[in-house]
């Protein structure tokens, strides 16, 4: 059985008539990195909230179909079970700071205090995660005195320290500057390389193309494409659904029109594939 | 953004290392003594012979005196003028001019009220100067105060500077689109009105995300929470707290006995 299984999932937010997600089927295996792309309002956040249990436990509304996440069925289990297995990090770094702690170190320990972890183990785990997320230099500062990128890494650390089985990221870099985004992506990459199961909604397709195992493209609450980055991002209908295509694909398309791209070669989605194509035509 | 968001001054002292509950008990029992204890001069004595020495022992004497004077002097000046002139039932006139006359009953009443307020404010000031808010809250929730209550208190301490910063941003944005925020008092007050809407509504939107964030960190999980910071407590301090509680009860008992006779 897959780690995450959604069958025929349809969800309406309270007091709405059109579904935010419609007839969605999805299976994610353990250790997989799945990226979700889609225009604003396509249902990316809704899907993230469903996998992390906030739908239907925090946002009420109407959920049809079946959901199973790490063996948890939301109709039988509460949010408490979900938060111990699934970690959620979202866009706004500022709002993810708990607000009750005065240093980054205490902030990261907040989740462990709530889980009732013994203080000695707590310190070990916090130290370890501070090292992994490269925020040693921030640990004694106030979480509010940090830049967006730093805050987002603290938010990531605060979730990772709870050792979730699945990490759900809802556009974690959309409010960050390029350097902040890079630092956050680096941490996510490290986690993916360690074999953590990651679900990530993200607009930056170049990055997603490089690191995701599979991509799910959503439009108006429905899955329009699910497959490897090349299968999904190379498909010509994406722009119709308001999904940006990789700048490497754009370059290759222009090159193809100008006769500068090997005709048998498929459209590239990453920098490496793009460079290989040009090397082939030069040779 | 300032790193320091509370009154707390981090220093090494005997007062700092006391358990927060002991300091809280001390504050409450001093207040009870000042309000219900015998004698006109008891509150002043408590201030000069208990609170001031403790603030010196806690190495926060300067900040303690400065802050208490700044907070209370204007209030006391007002209190003395109003009460000595307008205290109802004042008969013994000390001096009078034009249609006003100051009575000694009024002066005594003002003195009593002012010194009680002095003890009330400064005993909490001593607590706040020498106790980190998160230490206090951690200790209280460890002793059974609901975690949500201590969360509300500590997050409010943190949120005030955030709200101020946001208010400045909103006002700057409005000014850059031509809102006149200068000029006389009335104009300044009027220019605050357009600030209220955006400030309140954006804060309400944040509340939902904040709720998701702390929920994601297992805040409402029904297990016994642990605490990162170990807060020292001793037998001696526990005894001290019981003594203070007994003293407070005796003071209240004395007051009730007085009013019954």
């Amino acid at each position: 059985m897959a780690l995450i299984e959604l069958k025929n999932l349809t969800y309406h937010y309270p007091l709405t008539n059109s579904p935010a997600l419609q007839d969605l089927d999805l299976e994610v295996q353990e250790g997989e990195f799945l990226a979700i792309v889609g225009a604003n309002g396509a249902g990316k956040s809704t899907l993230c909230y469903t996998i992390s249990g906030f739908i239907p436990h925090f946002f009420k509304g109407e959920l049809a179909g079946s959901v199973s996440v790490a063996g948890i069925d939301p109709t039988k289990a509460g949010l408490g079970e979900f938060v111990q297995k699934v970690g959620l990090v979202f866009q706004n770094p500022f709002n993810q700071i708990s607000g009750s702690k005065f240093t980054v170190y205490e902030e990261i320990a907040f989740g462990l205090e709530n889980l009732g972890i013994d203080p000695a183990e707590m310190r070990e785990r916090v130290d370890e995660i501070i090292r992994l997320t490269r925020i040693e230099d921030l640990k004694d500062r106030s979480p509010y005195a940090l830049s967006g990128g730093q805050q987002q890494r603290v938010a990531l650390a605060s979730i990772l320290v709870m050792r979730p089985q699945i990490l759900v990221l809802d556009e974690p870099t959309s409010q960050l500057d390029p350097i902040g985004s890079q630092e956050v992506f680096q941490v996510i990459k490290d986690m993916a390389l360690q074999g953590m199961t990651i679900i990530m909604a993200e607009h930056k397709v170049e990055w997603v193309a490089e690191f995701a195992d599979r991509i799910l493209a959503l439009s108006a609450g429905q899955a329009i494409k699910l497959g490897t980055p090349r299968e999904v991002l190379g498909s010509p209908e994406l722009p119709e659904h308001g999904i940006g295509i990789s700048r490497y694909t754009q370059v290759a398309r222009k090159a193809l029109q100008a006769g500068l791209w090997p005709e048998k070669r498929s459209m590239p989605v990453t920098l490496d594939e793009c460079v290989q194509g040009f090397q082939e035509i030069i040779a | 953004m300032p790193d320091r968001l509370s009154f707390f001054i981090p220093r090494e002292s005997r007062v700092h290392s006391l358990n927060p509950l002991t300091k809280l008990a001390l504050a409450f029992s001093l207040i009870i003594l000042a309000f219900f204890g015998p004698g006109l001069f008891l509150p002043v004595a408590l201030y000069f012979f208990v609170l001031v020495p403790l603030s010196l022992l806690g190495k926060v004497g300067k900040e303690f005196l400065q802050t208490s004077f700044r907070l209370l002097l204007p209030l006391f000046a007002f209190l003395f003028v109003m009460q000595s002139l307008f205290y109802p039932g004042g008969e013994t006139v000390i001096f009078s001019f034009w249609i006003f006359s100051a009575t000694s009953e009024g002066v005594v009443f003002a003195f009593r009220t002012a010194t009680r307020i002095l003890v009330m404010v400064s005993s909490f000031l001593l607590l706040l100067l020498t106790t980190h808010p998160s230490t206090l809250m951690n200790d209280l929730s460890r002793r059974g105060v609901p975690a949500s209550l201590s969360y509300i208190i500590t997050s409010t301490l943190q949120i005030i500077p955030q709200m101020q910063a946001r208010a400045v941003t909103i006002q700057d944005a409005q000014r850059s689109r031509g809102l006149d925020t200068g000029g006389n008092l009335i104009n300044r007050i009027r220019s605050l009105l357009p600030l209220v809407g955006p400030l309140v509504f954006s804060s309400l939107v944040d509340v939902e995300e904040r709720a998701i964030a702390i929920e994601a960190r297992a805040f409402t999980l029904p297990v016994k929470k642990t605490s990162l910071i170990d807060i020292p407590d001793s037998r001696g301090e526990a005894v001290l707290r019981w003594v203070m509680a007994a003293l407070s009860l005796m003071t209240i008992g004395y007051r009730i006995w007085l009013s019954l006779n």
Side-chain angles (χ1 to χ4, degrees), chain A residues 1-228:
Chain A
M1 193 170 144
L3 190 61
I4 301 171
E5 274 189 20
L6 310 177
K7 279 200 197 105
N8 225 350
L9 177 76
T10 299
Y11 174 73
H12 291 76
Y13 278 103
L15 311 174
T16 55
N17 290 321
S18 54
L21 289 175
Q22 201 179 349
D23 296 324
L24 195 75
D25 287 296
L26 178 68
E27 279 194 8
V28 180
Q29 302 299 329
E30 188 160 2
E32 197 178 351
F33 185 167
L34 175 82
I36 307 165
V37 298
N40 289 330
K44 299 190 299 293
S45 296
T46 310
L47 184 53
C48 287
Y49 286 140
T50 308
I51 294 171
S52 48
F54 283 87
I55 289 173
H57 291 299
F58 186 87
F59 298 98
K60 301 300 174 190
E62 204 184 298
L63 183 71
S66 82
V67 176
S68 159
V69 178
I72 318 170
D73 176 352
T75 58
K76 297 199 183 84
L79 191 53
E81 261 111 304
F82 271 95
V83 300
Q84 293 177 68
K85 296 254 170 128
V86 188
L88 173 69
V89 174
F90 51 88
Q91 294 181 29
N92 187 333
F94 178 74
N95 284 344
Q96 293 178 82
I97 304 294
S98 75
S100 71
K101 298 295 174 185
F102 291 79
T103 67
V104 166
Y105 197 91
E106 292 171 35
E107 174 71 25
I108 295 172
F110 180 69
L112 298 181
E113 291 182 331
N114 294 332
L115 290 175
I117 306 288
D118 173 72
E121 190 194 336
M122 205 188 291
R123 284 186 185 278
E124 252 169 55
R125 278 166 72 165
V126 174
D127 286 334
E128 184 198 345
I129 216 73
I130 281 181
R131 198 160 31 74
L132 280 176
T133 49
R134 301 188 182 87
I135 50 176
E136 286 104 333
D137 50 329
L138 308 178
K139 69 178 178 117
D140 296 321
R141 294 186 41 198
S142 158
Y144 281 112
L146 307 177
S147 74
Q150 291 170 330
Q151 272 180 344
Q152 191 66 303
R153 272 185 294 158
V154 171
L156 251 174
S158 307
I159 287 297
L160 289 173
V161 79
M162 295 167 72
R163 299 198 175 145
Q165 214 179 333
I166 302 166
L167 181 61
V168 177
L169 304 153
D170 186 6
E171 296 186 42
T173 68
S174 64
Q175 296 191 4
L176 306 183
D177 60 29
I179 292 174
S181 308
Q182 223 169 46
E183 289 167 344
V184 169
F185 276 140
Q186 185 60 46
V187 176
I188 298 167
K189 199 169 101 185
D190 290 346
M191 291 302 129
L193 291 175
Q194 283 183 19
M196 183 170 249
T197 311
I198 299 176
I199 310 293
M200 178 181 186
E202 182 58 59
H203 279 298
K204 290 168 183 133
V205 285
E206 287 84 12
W207 194 84
V208 159
E210 197 152 343
F211 297 104
D213 297 316
R214 281 193 303 160
I215 294 181
L216 169 68
L218 288 179
S219 179
Q222 285 176 302
I224 49 168
K225 208 118 193 147
L226 175 64
T228 63

Side-chain angles (χ1 to χ4, degrees), chain A residues 258-271:
Chain A
L260 295 169
W261 186 260
E263 277 180 28
K264 279 171 285 170
R265 211 180 163 85
S266 63
M267 284 290 113
V269 292
T270 66
L271 177 61

Side-chain angles (χ1 to χ4, degrees), chain B:
Chain B
M1 200 66 51
D3 259 285
R4 188 170 152 248
L5 304 170
S6 64
F7 281 108
F8 178 64
I9 299 166
R11 274 175 201 154
E12 295 278 323
S13 85
R14 300 272 295 274
V15 182
H16 280 75
S17 57
L18 280 176
N19 184 280
L21 191 66
T22 311
K23 285 182 268 190
L24 194 64
L26 178 74
F28 275 114
S29 51
L30 285 177
I31 293 167
I32 288 171
L33 270 175
F35 275 77
F36 301 117
L40 183 58
F41 294 100
L42 182 66
V44 191
L46 289 176
Y47 182 75
F48 284 107
F49 297 114
V50 180
L51 284 162
V52 174
L54 277 177
S55 75
L56 294 174
L57 184 68
K59 297 180 186 159
V60 290
K62 189 172 143 247
E63 291 85 355
F64 177 78
L65 291 172
Q66 249 176 16
T67 318
S68 53
F69 279 119
R70 261 189 218 145
L71 280 175
L72 298 173
L73 266 184
L75 178 71
F76 289 172
F78 182 72
L79 201 64
F80 270 94
V81 171
M82 294 310 277
Q83 292 300 343
S84 53
L85 296 180
F86 302 114
Y87 182 68
E91 281 162 4
T92 327
V93 176
I94 310 170
F95 65 90
S96 57
F97 61 96
W98 193 32
I99 53 164
F100 301 111
S101 44
T103 61
S104 66
E105 287 87 353
V107 173
V108 169
F109 181 81
F111 179 77
R112 179 173 288 143
T113 314
T115 51
R116 283 172 175 175
I117 293 174
L118 177 70
V119 170
M120 184 166 80
V121 171
S122 54
S123 45
F124 270 104
L125 190 63
L126 182 70
L127 169 76
L128 295 177
L129 283 170
T130 58
T131 316
H132 196 286
S134 70
T135 321
L136 176 63
M137 287 307 146
N138 265 328
D139 195 53
L140 291 183
S141 42
R142 196 177 62 175
R143 293 174 199 273
V145 171
S148 42
L149 183 70
S150 57
Y151 177 81
I152 290 168
I153 295 171
T154 35
S155 63
T156 307
L157 283 178
Q158 298 248 52
I159 218 73
I160 291 166
Q162 310 304 323
M163 295 270 281
Q164 279 172 342
R166 179 175 293 170
V168 170
T169 312
I170 295 171
Q171 271 204 315
D172 283 347
Q174 290 172 341
R175 248 202 302 265
S176 73
R177 282 173 283 164
L179 183 76
D180 179 18
T181 58
N184 60 25
L185 186 68
I186 294 176
N187 199 28
R188 277 169 198 243
I189 292 172
R190 197 183 299 149
S191 73
L192 283 179
L193 280 177
L195 175 68
V196 177
L199 189 63
V200 170
F201 284 117
S202 66
S203 303
L204 286 179
V205 171
D206 282 358
V207 167
E208 182 176 80
E209 288 204 340
R210 179 66 50 81
I212 293 174
I214 64 168
E215 213 47 89
R217 299 190 30 214
F219 187 66
T220 54
L221 199 72
V223 298
K224 186 155 171 39
K225 295 182 196 305
T226 48
S227 168
L228 174 74
I229 310 163
D230 180 42
I231 302 153
D233 196 8
S234 67
R235 253 289 148 72
E237 284 191 50
V239 171
L240 199 63
R241 289 196 291 268
W242 283 113
V243 170
M244 290 190 290
L247 202 61
S248 308
L249 277 179
M250 275 160 60
T251 313
I252 293 172
Y254 160 80
R255 180 57 45 169
I256 292 171
W257 179 78
L258 267 190
S259 63
L260 287 180
N261 286 283

